[in-house]
Amino acid sequence: MILGLSFVLIGLAVLFSTLRLLKGPSTFDRLLAADTLAIITTALLVLMASYFSRIIYMDVALVYSVLGFAGVVVVARYLEGGL
Amino acid sequence: MVNPILLIIVPLGTAFLISLTASFLKNSTKYLALLAMIANVWVSIKLLPEVMQHSINVVIAGVKPPLGINLFVGPSGAVFSILISAAGLLILLYSFKYIEGDSQHKYYTLFLLLITGSHGMVLTGDVFNLFVFFEILAISSYILVGYEGKRNGLEAAVKYLILGSIGSVLILVAVALIYQEAGTLNMADLADKFGMIDPSKRLMILVFFITGMGVEAAVFPLNSWLPDAHSSAPSSISAMLSGFVIEVALIVIVKFVYSIFAMTEILGFLSLVAVITLLVGEFAAFKQANIKRVLAYSSIGQIGLILFAMSLNSTGGINAGLMQIVNHTASKSILFLVAGFLIVRTGSYQISDYRGIAKKMPVSAFFFVIGVLSLLGVPPFFGFFSKLAIIIAALHTGSIFNTVMVFLVLLGTVIESIYFLRIIQVMYNRDGIVDSVKEAPFLPLLAIAAFAVVILAGFLVLPQITGYTGGVASEIVRKMQMAQVF
Amino acid sequence: MRKVISFLLLAGFVFYFATLTGGLLIPDSSADRSSVGLDILSRSADETGSANAVTSVVVLYRGFDTLGEVTVLFLAALGISVFMKSTGEKRKKVLDQSFILKTGSRLLFPLMFLFGMYIIAHGHLSPGGGFPGGVIIATGFFVILLTSESVNFNKTLMSVLEGLAGLSFIGLGVVGLLGPGNSFLQNFLPLGTFNTVFSAGIIPLIYAVVGIKVGAELSSVVYAMKESK
Amino acid sequence: MNGVLSISTVLNFGSAGLIVLGLYIVFTQKNLIKMVIGIDIAETGVNVLLVSTGYIKGNTAPIFSKAGLQVSSMVDPVPQALVLTSIVIGFGVSALALAMIIKLYEKTGTLDTSKIRGLKW
Amino acid sequence: MVVVGKILVLIGSIFLFLGSLGIFRMPDVYNRLQAGTKATTLGALSLILGVGFMNGSFLVKSIVLIIFIVLTNPISSSTIARASHKAGIPLVKESVVDVCKDNVRKEEA
Amino acid sequence: MSIVLNLLSIALAGVVLNVLFSKSKIVQKYVSLLIFAGLTYFSFVMYSQVGEHFDFPFQIAGQSIGFTITWLNYYFGIMITGITLLTVIFSLKYMEGKDGSTHYYTVLSLKTFGMLGVIFSSDLITFFVFWEIMSWSTFGLMSTGGKDAPKSAFKYFVFAITASMILMAGVVLSYSLFGSFDFAVIHDKIGSLSLPMTGFLLSIFIVSFSVESAVFPVHSWLPDGYSNTFTTFTAYLSGISTRIGIYGIILFLFGIFGIQTVDKLSIIGKINFRYVFGVFAALTMVVPTFTALYQHDAKKLIAWHSVGQGGYMLIGLASGSALGIAGGMFHVLNHMAYVVLIVFAIAAVEHRTGTTNLNKLGGLIKKMPVSYLALLFGIIGLAGLPPMNGFVSKWFIYRALILGGYPFLAIAAVIGTLGTILSVYKLIHNMFLGQLPERYNNVKEVGFSMQLPMWILMIVVLGLGIFPGAAMGLIAKIQVALGLTAVPYSLHGIQTASGQLNMLVVSAVFIGGIFVTWIIYLLGSRRKHVSQYNNYAAGNFLDKKVAYNFNYEFYAAMEHVIDPYRKKIIQRTEQGIAGLTDAVSEYIRRIYTGMINTYGIYVITAFIVTIIILKELI
Amino acid sequence: MKNFKGFIIFVIVLALTWLLLTGSLGKDELLIGGLSLVLVAILFFGYSDLYRALKITPKIILFYPLYLLVFLKELIVANFDVASRVVRPSLPINPGIVAVKTSLKDPLSKLILANSITLTPGTLTVDVKDDTLFIHWIDVKGKDVEEATKEISRKFERILKEIVK
Ligand code: NA
Ligand code: NA
C-alpha cells in the first residue's frame, strides 16, 4: 500500500521534473531537472530493490548516482564556458 | 593447423601493442603493423586449403555453439581473409611513405582495427558478434575518413557516421528480432530455425538486415555517404574502403540471403537494385571533375556490378561476383593509390590539373592506365574475365529480365570507359601544364605494382582462382550448417 | 515539407513494423519459450562459477563481444584524440576554479576509485562489472580534470594502460588458447566457491582488465577534450 | 486482453516510439548535435527492444545472489549482455561523433547541416 | 523497524513529489535548485534509509548510498548554481540582493 | 607450336622491343623494319598451314580457345602484314624528327598484334580479346599526331567501346545459347536456333562490326579520327584497320551463320535481312562520298572516301551472290592498295610542303612526278576506272546487284562512283595541277625509301587491275571454304554464265581510248603558258599578296547545295546523345544533395520501398 | 609526520568505505579489499593531506553525532519550510545572494560547511572565495555579512571546529 502510494508520488515527481526538463527555459533549468531526475531514478531503483528483494539493484542505484553526479558536473562546467 | 582466430587477435593485439609502445617507439610503430599484416597474410594463406575441404567452427571460450560465440570459417571466410590481408599489407606499405607526421601511430592503430573489423565480419559465426565487428569496422572507417582533419574529410566523416549509425540501428533491430523469434544468435543454428519463423516476420528481419548492412555495402540509395567519404579520405584509406570494406559488407548480405535466411526469392529484386546502383554510380561519375570523386562513384558502379552477379541465384554468378571483387580490389586500389600521389604532387584534386602529368610521373600514369583497363574489363586483364563470367552467368539464367540487365550493365561500362578515358587523355596530353612534379616514391610504387601484377597475371592462375571462388560460391548457395569443430 | 515526408515515412515504418511483427500489443511471453539464453541460464552457474549469469554471458559465453566492445571504446578514445589534438595554443579563457568542486572532487576521487574497484571485483556477483567500474573510475578522473588546471595527467601512462589492458585481455584469451581447452578465452583457472569474490575463474581477471581499459579509455577521452580548445 | 497492458506491449511501444522519434529528429533537425541526440534516442529504442526480447513475465535479474532462486524465474541473460554491449558501443560512437562535430564546427563555423554541404553531387 | 522504514519511504516519496513540484513552480534557476533539487534529495535520502530499515540486509548499502548522495549532491547543486551565475542567468526580479554580482562589478572596476 | 603463335609473338616482340628501346629512335626504326619483314614473310608462307588449329593450354568457362588458319584469315593476314611493312618502310623517313615518334612503332606493333589475333581466332573469346587490343591500339594510333588528335581519338573511342560492349553481349549471348565459344560449334548449332533469335544475335554482331567498319550512320568517328593523326597512320588505318570490321562481317555472315541461315532471316517478316543491310551499305557509299567532295584537307577527303568505299564492299557482301561476295572481298584488297597509295602520295607531298590543305597546294606535278603518278594510279583505282584494280571489284559488285535484282542499290553504287570521280579530280587537281604557289618553288621529290612503297603499290594497283586472277584464286578458295559458290576465274578476269570480264581487253580498249583522246587534245588545243601573276582581275593586276588561287573552294557551289542536309541529322543525333548523357549524369548526381538529413530519409525510404516490393514478391 | 597522520586517516576512511561497500568480513573480501586499498592509497597519496584536517581526538566521538543532529534538525526544519513555500499558491519567496564570512581555514572544513549549507533547504552555496561564502537564500533575513553569517553558518561552524581543523 505504502509502496504503491510511493510509486504514484514518485511517478508525479518524474512528471514534474520532466516538464521542467522540456520547458527549460535555460539550459541550466534543464540541467537541474536532469539532476533531479537522476536522484528520483536512484530512489526508484532502491525501491525496486526492496520490491524484488534483490540487493544487487542497490549497486545499480549507486552506479547510477555516481554517473549522474559526474554528468551534471561535466555539463555544468561545459556550459560555464568549456571544459 | 593455424587457428583462424589469429586473423582477428593478431591485428587487434598489435593495435593495443602500438598504443602501449607508441611513446618510445614513435614512428617505428609502423613496423609492428607490418609484422601483423605479414602474419595475417601468412595465416590466411595457410588457412585456405584446409577450409576448402570442410568449413570449421572455431570455438571461443570453450563454449560450443550455439551457446557461445564461434568463428565459422569456410571458403568465403578464408578467401576474404586473404583479400583483406593482402590488400591491407600492400596498402600498409604504401602508407609508409604516404602518411607522415608525429601521430602516425594512431593511423596504424586505426588501420589495424579496420583490418580486425573486416576479418571479424567475414569470419564470425554469430549474428550479434557480426554487429560488434561491423561497428569496429565502421568506426575505424569514420575516423580514418576524417583522419587528416581537413574540412572535407570531417564533413564526410560526420555524414558517414550519421548514416552508418542509422544503418547500425537497423541491423541491431534485425538482431533483436532474430533473437526474439529464433532464440539464437548463432548463424548456423539460425539457418536451421529461420524457416520456422512466421513469413512476415522473416521478411521484416531480412529487410532490417539488408537495409542496415546495405548502408555499409553502398547499395543505392543507401550509399549517399560513399562519394564524400571515399573521396575525402586519405587515399590509402579510400583504397581500403573501396577495395574491401564495402565488399565485406556486401558478402555478408549475400551470405545471409543465401545461406542463412535462405530467402533467394528476393534475389530478383536485389539484382534490379544492383543494376540501378551500377547505373547511378556510372552516370554520377560521368560529370565529375574531381579525380577521387570519379573513383568513388565508380566504386558505386562496381558494387552494383558485383551485387548483380551475386544476386543471380547461381554458383556461376557468385563465382563471377567474387572474381569481380578481386578485380575491383586490385584495380581500384591502384587507382586510388596513384591518385593519392597525383594529389600530393600537384596539390589538386581536379583532373584538369593533371594535364601531361604522364611525362613527369610515367610509372604512376602507366599503372593508372593498367588499373583503368582492368576495371573496365579490357582483355587480357583480369577484369575482362570477371566481367565475362558475370555476363555469362547472367545470360545462363535464361531470363529476359537478366538479359535486359546485361545490356544495362554494358551501357554502364560504356559510360565508365568514357569518363576514365577522359582522365587518361588528360594525363597523357602532350602539352602538359604541370612542371616540377616528381614521380611517387619507390615503396608506394612497389605496392601499386603488386596490385598490377594481380591484374596482369591474374588470368594465368585463373583456374586456381576460379577453383577457390567456386568453393566460396558453393558454400554460399548452400544453407549454412554447423561445421566441424576446431 | 521535410517534416511531412519524414512523418509519413516513419508512419509507414511503424505501420509495417507493427503489422509484420504481429502487432505492438502482445502478451508477455512465458518461460517455456526456448532460447539459447535459457539454456545458458540452466548451466552457466556450473560451467562458469559466476553467480551473475549476465556476467558469465558477458565475459565468457559472449566474451568475444566484450573484447569487441572494449575495442570500440578504444577506437572512440583514439578517434577523439585524433580529432581533439591539442592545437598548440593555450586555451584563451581559463576558467577560474570552483572551490567547492575542486575540493569536493579531491575528497571524493579516492573513494570513487575504490568504489570502481569494488564494482569491478564483484562483477561476477552483481550487475556491475568492468564497464560500470571502469566508468566510475574514469568519472573520477573526469571530475579531477575538470577542476584543476595543472593536474599532472600522464598521457603516456594512459596510452600505456590502454594498450596494456587490451593486450592483457587478449593475453588472457591466448592462455586459454594455448591451454588444454585450446580455445580463445577458455577459462583456465579453478572456478572457486560459488558466490564469493574468488570464484568464476578468469571472469574477475577479465573484468579487472576491462575496468582498467575502460577507465583509461574514458580518461584519455576527457583529457583529449580538455586539451582541445 | 492479456496483451494490451502487458509489459511487452509497453516495451514494444516504447522501443518503436523511441526509434521513430530518434529517426524523426535525424531527418528533420538541421543541427548536427541534435542529429546525434536523435541517433542516441533511436539506439535507446533498439536497446529497449533488445531488453524486451528477453523479458519473461514476473521474472527477475539472472543473478544467483541468494539461495532458492530458480532458473525458471529469471529473465534471459543474453539480451541483457547484448544491451550492455550495445550501450557501450552507442556511447563510444556518440562521444566520437561529438568530437568530430566539434572539430567540424571549428572548420565551418556552423552546425547547420544545410550549410555544411561542401561535398555534394 | 519495518514500520519506521515504511514511514520513511512514504515521507521520502512525499518530499520527492514536493521537490519536483518546486522545480516546476519556482521562478528561477536558483530557487528551483533550492526548493526542488534539495527537497528531492532529502526525499531520496529518506526513502533510501526507509528501504534500509525495511530490509535489514540492505541497510549497509543504503548507508553507503546516502553518504555518497550527501557528499556529491551539494557539490553538483553548487556547481549548477555557480555555473548559471557565471553564465549570467539573472536572479528573479523579486530578488532583494546579489552580493556576488556587486563583487563582480567591483572587480571589473 | 602454331605458326600463328610465331606471328603473334613476333608482333608482341615488336611491342616489347619498341618499349625497351623507346629512347633510341634508330633502333626502333630498324627493329620495326625487321619485325614487320618477318611478319610479312611468315604470313605469306602460312599458305601451307591452312586448316591448322591451335588451342591455348587453358580454358575459359570450361571451353578451349585458340587460333585457326583458314583461307579467309590467310587472305586478311597477308594484307595486314604486307601493308604494315610498306607503311613502316615509308615511315622510316617520314617520321624522322616528328614529335611522338617514340610511341609510333609501339602502337603500330600492338595494333598489328591485335588485328592478327582477331583474324586468326577460332572462337569468340579470342576474337573479342584481340578485338579489344586492336580497338585500344587504334585509339592509341589516333591519339598521336596533330593537336586535335586526342579529341577525335576520343570520339572514336566512344563509338568503339559501345561497339565492344555490344560485341561482348553477342559473345556471351552466343555462349549461353550454344554453350560454346567456338566458331565451328556455333556454326553447327546455328540451325537449331529460332529465326528471331538468330536475327537478333546476328544483328548484335553486325551492328558491332558496323562501327569498326564505319557503316552509315555510325561512321562519323572515322574522318576526323583518321585525318588528325600522322598521315602514314591515316594510310594504315584507311587501308586495313577499318577492314577488320569487314572481316568480322564476312566471318559472321558466311563463316558462322552461313548464307543459308542469313537468307532465311527477314525483318518484320517481309524485308530480307540482306536487303536491309544493303540499304545501309548503299547509304554508306553515297553520303560520305559526297561529303568528301567539299573537304579542303586531302587526308580528310580520303578518309571520307575510305568510309564510302567500305559501302561498296558491304553492298557486295549484301548481294549474297557469289559474284557480289567475291567483289566485296576483292574490293577490300583493291581498296587497301589504292587508298594506301593515295595517302602515301599525300604524305609525300606533306613531307615536302608541310601541309595537306588542298586550298594551299597546287601545281606540284613537275616537282614531284613520282608522287603525282602514285596519286594518279590511286585515284583511278578509287574511281573504279580501268585499267586499275578498283574497276574489277566494282564491276563484280555492279554486276551482282543488277543480276541479283537490286536496281536501287545498283543506282546508288553508280551515284557513289560519280561522286568519287568528282572528288578525286579535286584531289589531284588541287595538289598537282593548276598553279604552283611560289613558296613551293624549291620542293623536291621524296627519297627512295618513300618512293619504294609507292612503286610497289602502283604495281599492285595496276597488276591486280590487269591480272585480277592473281587474287581471285585465293578468293575462290575462301568462297569454297565458306560454303559459297566460287566465281570461275582466269588470270585476266572471270568467266561466268552471266557474263565475263577480260581485263586485258578492257584495259587495252580503255588505254587506247585515253591515248586517242590525248592525241585529239594535243592537236586541238593551242595552249599558251602564262605566268601565275601575269593575270588580272577586277581591273587590277594580281601580285603575290593577293591570294587568288583557282583551287580555293573547289566545289563551293555544290557545298552550298548539300550543306544544309549533311550536318543536321548525324551530328544532331550524336550531340543529342551526348547531351542526353550529360543531362542524365547531371540529374543523377544531384541525388547526392550533400544534405545529410535527406540522406537519412533515403535510407528509410529504401527500407519502406523494399518492404512494399518484397511483400508482393514473397 | 603531518603527512603520515593524514595518510593514516586517509587509509582509515578508505577501509571504512570498503567495509561498508562489501558489508562483509569474509577472508576473501578482506584480501581483495586490502589489495584495492593499497593500490588506492599509493595512487592517491597526494590526496591524503586533504584528509589530514579530520581530527582524531576522543572528543569526536561526541561531536560527530552532535554535528549530525544539528545538521538533521536544520535539514528537517528547513525542509518543511521550503515545502510549505512550494505548495502555497502565492509562492512566498524573498530571494537573494548574500555573503557569509567564515573563520574556518582548512579547505575540507570549508567544504563541509559549504555542503551543509547547501543541503539545508533554503540556502545554497553558490561559490566560495577565501573566507567568504556566497549563498543564495530563498528568504533573505539579513543583507549584511554579519547578519547572514549568524543566520546561516554560525551553528554549523561551531561544531565543525571541533571535528575538523
Ligand atoms: Na558486454
Ligand atoms: Na550513440
Side-chain angles (χ1 to χ4, degrees), chain D residues 26-27 29 113 117 119 121, chain F residues 589-590 592-594 597 600:
Chain D
V26 172
F27 297 162
Q29 289 299 322
T113 55
R117 290 172 68 202
L119 298 168
W121 302 341
Chain F
R589 75 202 195 102
R590 269 163 210 276
Y592 299 90
T593 59
N597 307 76

Side-chain angles (χ1 to χ4, degrees), chain F residues 61-385:
Chain F
Q63 301 291 310
S64 305
I65 59 168
F67 296 115
T68 187
I69 306 171
T70 65
W71 287 113
L72 178 65
N73 54 36
Y74 174 73
Y75 178 59
F76 274 85
I78 56 176
M79 283 197 278
I80 291 167
T81 53
I83 213 68
T84 320
L85 180 62
L86 293 180
T87 307
V88 169
I89 295 172
F90 189 88
S91 307
L92 295 176
K93 207 76 195 152
Y94 175 82
M95 281 308 292
E96 261 178 17
K98 281 204 164 56
D99 190 17
S101 61
T102 12
H103 299 299
Y104 184 88
Y105 295 105
T106 316
V107 276
L108 199 60
S109 310
L110 188 63
K111 166 87 180 166
T112 309
F113 172 73
M115 292 201 297
L116 290 172
V118 167
I119 59 162
F120 286 112
S121 57
S122 67
D123 60 89
L124 289 166
I125 288 293
T126 319
F127 186 91
F128 182 79
V129 168
F130 283 96
W131 183 272
E132 283 290 287
I133 295 172
M134 185 186 80
S135 307
W136 280 83
S137 42
T138 305
F139 168 73
L141 285 174
M142 286 188 191
S143 301
T144 51
K147 197 161 64 72
D148 291 333
K151 213 173 136 195
S152 44
F154 186 75
K155 187 172 179 184
Y156 161 74
F157 178 82
V158 174
F159 278 90
I161 192 72
T162 312
S164 286
M165 289 304 116
I166 296 173
L167 179 58
M168 185 157 187
V171 168
V172 179
L173 190 58
S174 308
Y175 176 74
S176 68
L177 290 171
F178 307 113
S180 174
F181 293 119
D182 198 276
F183 293 153
V185 175
I186 296 173
H187 179 68
D188 291 342
K189 292 186 177 172
I190 195 85
S192 58
L193 200 61
S194 76
L195 280 185
M197 199 61 201
T198 314
F200 178 64
L201 191 60
L202 182 60
S203 307
I204 286 180
F205 287 115
I206 298 290
V207 164
S208 153
F209 298 139
S210 297
V211 173
E212 189 65 23
S213 49
V215 175
F216 182 90
V218 284
H219 62 281
S220 65
W221 56 270
L222 190 146
D224 285 345
Y226 281 14
S227 58
N228 286 336
T229 181
F230 294 119
T231 311
T232 42
F233 274 163
T234 313
Y236 181 75
L237 289 167
S238 316
I240 191 66
S241 176
T242 333
R243 304 314 156 207
I244 302 301
I246 306 275
Y247 168 81
I249 291 174
I250 297 173
L251 175 71
F252 277 78
L253 273 183
F254 308 124
I256 297 177
F257 283 74
I259 186 78
Q260 289 81 6
T261 311
V262 174
D263 274 339
K264 280 185 240 161
L265 299 175
S266 54
I267 287 169
I268 329 168
K270 286 264 156 60
I271 314 156
N272 187 282
F273 182 89
R274 281 195 292 105
Y275 192 79
V276 176
F277 184 52
V279 170
F280 281 105
L283 287 169
T284 312
M285 279 187 308
V286 176
V287 179
T289 304
F290 279 88
T291 312
L293 267 181
Y294 48 82
Q295 298 303 320
H296 311 307
D297 183 283
K299 283 159 78 177
K300 200 162 265 184
L301 187 145
I302 279 305
W304 277 107
H305 277 300
S306 197
V307 180
Q309 294 303 305
Y312 285 91
M313 303 166 200
L314 294 173
I315 211 163
L317 301 177
S319 75
S321 66
L323 191 59
I325 293 169
M329 286 197 271
F330 191 24
H331 200 59
V332 174
L333 173 61
N334 292 338
H335 173 264
M336 179 190 77
Y338 65 65
V339 86
V340 172
L341 183 56
I342 291 171
V343 182
F344 279 175
I346 294 171
V349 168
E350 184 200 14
H351 190 64
R352 289 305 188 201
T353 65
T355 183
T356 56
N357 188 329
L358 292 176
N359 291 339
K360 291 179 180 163
L361 292 166
L364 287 168
I365 180 164
K366 289 195 176 147
K367 302 285 181 188
M368 304 181 71
V370 178
S371 304
Y372 167 72
L373 199 61
L375 187 67
L376 185 65
F377 271 53
I379 63 169
I380 295 174
L382 174 59
L385 302 174

Side-chain angles (χ1 to χ4, degrees), chain F residues 547-591:
Chain F
Y548 179 81
N549 193 329
F550 183 60
N551 299 348
Y552 198 74
E553 300 288 326
F554 198 79
Y555 286 121
M558 190 170 247
E559 191 175 338
H560 284 301
V561 177
I562 299 175
D563 210 36
Y565 301 99
R566 63 165 182 127
K567 283 179 186 163
K568 298 277 155 67
I569 306 160
I570 305 289
Q571 281 195 356
R572 280 202 179 165
T573 312
E574 284 171 16
Q575 280 165 6
I577 291 172
L580 186 69
T581 314
D582 264 14
V584 170
S585 165
E586 194 59 42
Y587 281 117
I588 284 185
R589 75 202 195 102
R590 269 163 210 276
I591 292 172

Side-chain angles (χ1 to χ4, degrees), chain E residues 8-65:
Chain E
L8 282 174
V9 167
L10 188 60
I11 292 173
S13 309
I14 292 168
F15 275 104
L16 279 173
F17 167 71
L18 289 177
S20 56
L21 191 63
I23 280 202
F24 184 65
R25 289 195 68 199
M26 284 295 177
D28 67 357
V29 176
Y30 311 97
N31 286 304
R32 283 177 199 132
L33 274 170
Q34 291 273 21
T37 315
K38 291 310 106 201
T40 326
T41 308
L42 292 171
L45 292 182
S46 162
L47 190 145
I48 292 166
L49 191 64
V51 167
F53 282 152
M54 281 161 66
N55 312 49
S57 58
F58 286 21
L59 191 58
V60 181
K61 281 267 156 70
S62 301
I63 291 169
V64 174
L65 200 49

Side-chain angles (χ1 to χ4, degrees), chain C residues 58 66 69 131, chain D residues 81 84-85:
Chain C
V58 165
T66 304
E69 176 183 347
F131 287 97
Chain D
L84 278 182
T85 304

